[in-house]
């Protein structure tokens, strides 16, 4: 779970920095004192007891990714937006005959740790955070091919991410490794 949470925090930091927003990594969380782009949290907890509310803009619309689903922010004006599950897949074997391609990464063309993979109408953003590769912004059915495609780009690293509905990732070899919760004000 910590591996997935850290990878997701790196991804949120990458998205923010691409838009001129400087987040900060603390011992127990990644936080942005400035409001983050829509659909991205203002904080990602990196430990079950992280204290992040005094480090973010708590005005209406603030959000916290509670990476361990352990916080109760209801008394602080937050409500649960949704619950999800972290997912994990061991490093896959490299397969060179997959029908995927790297496409224009849009706003991240110079970032060596971000790629956009595509196969037909299916797409996923992948990011490298040191010890894992994260998969996010999934469109379509990437789950059958994305672990092996990632291994062609960055071999030997596990794949992490999160989903509200884990049916497809689990069907294709991912395992759930713990809950997370998104809180909004």
């Amino acid at each position: 779970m910590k591996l997935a949470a850290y990878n997701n925090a790196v991804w949120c930091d990458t998205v923010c920095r691409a838009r001129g927003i400087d987040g900060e990594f603390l011992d127990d969380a990644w936080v942005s004192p400035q409001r983050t782009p829509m659909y991205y949290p203002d904080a990602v907890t990196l430990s079950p007891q992280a204290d992040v509310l005094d480090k973010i803009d708590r005005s209406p619309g603030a959000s916290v990714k509670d990476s361990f689903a352990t916080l109760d922010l209801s008394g602080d004006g937050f409500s649960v937006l949704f619950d999800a599950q972290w997912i994990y897949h061991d490093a896959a074997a490299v397969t060179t005959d997959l029908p995927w391609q790297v496409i224009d990464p849009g706003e991240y063309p110079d970032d060596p740790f971000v790629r956009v993979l595509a196969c037909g109408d299916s797409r996923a953003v992948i990011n490298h955070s040191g010890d894992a590769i994260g998969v996010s912004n999934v469109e379509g059915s990437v789950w059958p091919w994305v672990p092996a495609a990632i291994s062609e780009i960055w071999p030997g690293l596990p794949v992490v991410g999160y989903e509200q509905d884990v049916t497809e990732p689990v069907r294709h070899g991912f395992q759930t490794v713990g809950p997370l919760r998104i809180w909004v004000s």
Side-chain angles (χ1 to χ4, degrees):
M1 229 169 17
K2 286 185 178 187
L3 188 67
Y6 178 75
N7 177 274
N8 190 262
V10 168
W11 172 238
C12 292
D13 188 63
T14 300
V15 169
C16 287
R17 288 186 190 282
R19 291 167 175 81
I21 300 168
D22 292 328
E24 180 181 1
F25 280 90
L26 307 172
D27 289 340
D28 61 355
W30 172 84
V31 296
S32 175
Q34 183 181 352
R35 186 53 49 83
T36 56
M38 185 178 279
Y39 307 118
Y40 289 89
D42 299 299
V44 178
T45 64
L46 300 175
S47 77
Q49 291 7 324
D51 182 14
V52 297
L53 293 184
D54 62 341
K55 298 167 185 78
I56 64 171
D57 174 353
R58 292 177 51 183
S59 63
S63 61
V64 173
K65 184 172 288 174
D66 175 5
S67 300
F68 304 88
T70 55
L71 303 178
D72 182 359
L73 304 180
S74 59
D76 295 297
F78 284 75
S79 60
V80 175
L81 178 64
F82 65 84
D83 288 306
Q85 290 287 319
W86 291 111
I87 56 174
Y88 175 92
H89 193 291
D90 285 326
V94 174
T95 306
T96 57
D97 61 346
L98 294 171
W100 65 274
Q101 61 182 332
V102 175
I103 61 172
D104 178 4
E107 62 198 274
Y108 313 102
D110 299 323
D111 192 323
F113 300 111
V114 176
R115 301 283 189 282
V116 178
L117 302 180
C119 179
D121 292 336
S122 298
R123 294 184 176 15
V125 176
I126 60 171
N127 76 295
H128 189 300
S129 64
D131 293 330
I133 306 302
V135 59
S136 63
N137 302 70
V138 171
E139 298 175 18
S141 181
V142 303
W143 306 114
W145 55 268
V146 80
I150 288 171
S151 288
E152 282 190 44
I153 298 168
W154 291 306
L157 294 172
V159 180
V160 296
Y162 73 89
E163 290 291 317
Q164 286 179 273
D165 180 356
V166 297
T167 306
E168 282 300 303
V170 167
R171 195 173 94 177
H172 294 287
F174 283 81
Q175 57 185 303
T176 59
V177 292
L180 70 120
R181 180 170 291 139
I182 306 298
W183 293 90
V184 295
S185 66

